[in-house]
Amino acid sequence: MTGQTRGSARPNQWLRNLNAKIASIPMILTALVIFVGGTSWTVLYSFTNSKLLPRLSFVGLDQYVRLWAAPRWLISIENLAIYGFFSLIFSLVIGFVLAALMDQKIRFENTFRTIMLYPFALSFIVTGLVWQWLLNPQYGIQSIVRSLGWTNFNFDPLYNSDIVIYGILIAALWQGTGLVMCLMLAGLRGIDEDIWKAARVDGIPMWKTYVLVIIPMMRGVFITTLVIIASGIVKVYDLVVAQTSGGPGIASEVPAKYVYDYMFQAQNLGQGFAASTMMLVTVAIIIVPWAYLEFGGGRKRA
C-alpha cells in the first residue's frame, strides 16, 4: 500500500504549479534560443575568418592568436582590470558608508536619498558628457580652481593617457554609488532593532557591530550588489565613448568598445566574435565557481 501511495503521488509533483510552469515556457524558450543559441553561434564563428558577413571558413585559433597579440586588446584588458577593481571597492565602501549615515534617521532623509540616487536615472551618455565638461581643463574643475587663485592646480585626467581610466572611473562612481547606497540601506533597514540594542547593552563599539555582526548578516545584499556592479563593469562602453572615444590614442580602450569597433567599423566579425568569447570566458571563470559555492555548495550542506 505504501509503495502504491508513493507511486501515485509522484505524478502530482510534476503537475504542481502547472499554470506557472506553462507560463514560463516562453521565457525558457527565449533563454534557450536567444541567449544560449546566440552565445553558441558567436563562439562557433569566432573560429572563422568572417569579415563583413559571417561565413563558415574555419581558421582554427588564428583569431585568438591575433587577438592576444594586439596591443589595443591588451590595453583594453588592463583598463578593465583597473576600472573593475577600483569601481568594485569604492562603490561598495562609499555606498555602505552613505547607507550607514543615512540609517541614523537624519532629517530630510528622503530628499538626500533622492539626490544621491538621481544620477543613476541618467543615461551613461549624459553622464559621460557632463563629466567630459567637468574634467575639461579649459572650462571645468581645473579652470574654476585656478580662477580662485591656485594657478598651479592641475586636474585633467581625460587628457593624460596615464590616468585617463581614473577620469572615467570618477564618472562611473558618481552615477552608480547612489544605487549601491539604496541597496545597502534596504539591507540595514532589515536588521532587527533588538540586535542594535543588545550591542549597545554589551558595550560593543559601533564599528565592531557593523564589521562583526551587521555586515555578515547582510551577505545576501552584498552578493546582489556585487553582481550588479560586476555586470556594469564588464559591459562598460557608453562612458568611454562619451568621454574619450577611447583616447588619448587608445589609452582608454575597453573590451566592449574593441568588440564594437571590430564588428561594425573594421568589418571583421571573426575578430569581434573572438573578443566577445574571451569576455564570456572571463565572466564564466568568475561566476561559475562563485555560483557553485553559493548555491550548489549551500544545498549540499543543507
Side-chain angles (χ1 to χ4, degrees):
M1 290 295 293
T2 305
Q4 293 178 356
T5 304
R6 289 179 180 175
S8 60
R10 284 177 184 174
N12 295 333
Q13 299 294 330
W14 295 98
L15 296 176
R16 189 173 296 176
N17 298 324
L18 184 60
N19 291 335
K21 292 177 180 177
I22 293 175
S24 66
I25 290 176
M27 181 186 67
I28 296 173
L29 293 177
T30 300
L32 290 175
V33 174
I34 295 180
F35 295 106
V36 178
T39 299
S40 303
W41 188 84
T42 300
V43 174
L44 174 65
Y45 278 88
S46 70
F47 296 100
T48 68
N49 194 28
S50 300
K51 295 297 183 181
L52 177 60
L53 296 174
R55 58 178 182 173
L56 285 173
S57 175
F58 291 101
V59 293
L61 297 174
D62 286 0
Q63 295 289 3
Y64 294 93
V65 173
R66 290 176 53 201
L67 178 69
W68 286 102
R72 184 178 176 185
W73 173 254
L74 298 177
I75 289 174
S76 68
I77 292 295
E78 180 183 354
N79 285 336
L80 185 66
I82 295 172
Y83 174 87
F85 176 79
F86 286 106
S87 179
L88 199 63
I89 298 299
F90 284 116
S91 294
L92 287 174
V93 172
I94 297 173
F96 184 81
V97 170
L98 289 175
L101 294 174
M102 200 75 67
D103 194 42
Q104 306 305 311
K105 308 297 189 297
I106 62 174
R107 296 182 62 184
F108 307 112
E109 176 189 329
N110 292 335
T111 302
F112 286 121
R113 190 168 63 237
T114 301
I115 292 173
M116 293 179 184
L117 189 59
Y118 174 74
F120 187 75
L122 301 176
S123 71
F124 285 104
I125 294 295
V126 172
T127 299
L129 292 174
V130 168
W131 279 95
Q132 183 192 53
W133 180 84
L134 288 173
L135 298 177
N136 188 304
Q138 295 181 351
Y139 311 105
I141 297 173
Q142 177 176 299
S143 176
I144 294 172
V145 174
R146 286 187 175 185
S147 67
L148 297 176
W150 289 279
T151 56
N152 294 325
F153 178 79
N154 291 311
F155 189 65
D156 56 348
L158 298 185
Y159 298 85
N160 187 333
S161 59
D162 293 329
I163 59 173
V164 62
I165 194 65
Y166 298 101
I168 297 171
L169 176 65
I170 292 172
L173 291 174
W174 178 79
Q175 182 169 31
T177 303
L179 175 65
V180 177
M181 180 207 70
C182 288
L183 293 172
M184 295 294 177
L185 184 59
L188 289 172
R189 293 288 164 85
I191 301 297
D192 194 340
E193 188 66 28
D194 292 338
I195 294 176
W196 291 105
K197 293 178 181 178
R200 284 193 291 268
V201 170
D202 292 339
I204 302 175
M206 181 172 288
W207 69 269
K208 276 192 174 182
T209 305
Y210 275 112
V211 173
L212 301 178
V213 180
I214 303 302
I215 291 179
M217 293 181 66
M218 293 176 59
R219 183 168 176 266
V221 176
F222 274 94
I223 290 175
T224 301
T225 307
L226 282 171
V227 171
I228 293 174
I229 297 174
S231 64
I233 290 171
V234 173
K235 65 183 182 181
V236 60
Y237 171 81
D238 314 62
L239 280 176
V240 176
V241 172
Q243 287 186 273
T244 65
S245 294
I250 58 173
S252 60
E253 284 288 334
V254 290
K257 186 176 182 299
Y258 183 96
V259 171
Y260 178 86
D261 288 349
Y262 268 87
M263 290 182 67
F264 300 105
Q265 293 185 5
Q267 298 179 353
N268 191 339
L269 291 179
Q271 184 69 185
F273 290 151
S276 300
T277 303
M278 292 311 305
M279 292 177 65
L280 174 65
V281 170
T282 303
V283 173
I285 290 174
I286 298 172
I287 296 299
V288 170
W290 179 23
Y292 175 77
L293 293 174
E294 182 62 28
F295 302 108
R299 287 178 180 174
K300 288 182 179 179
R301 288 191 299 269

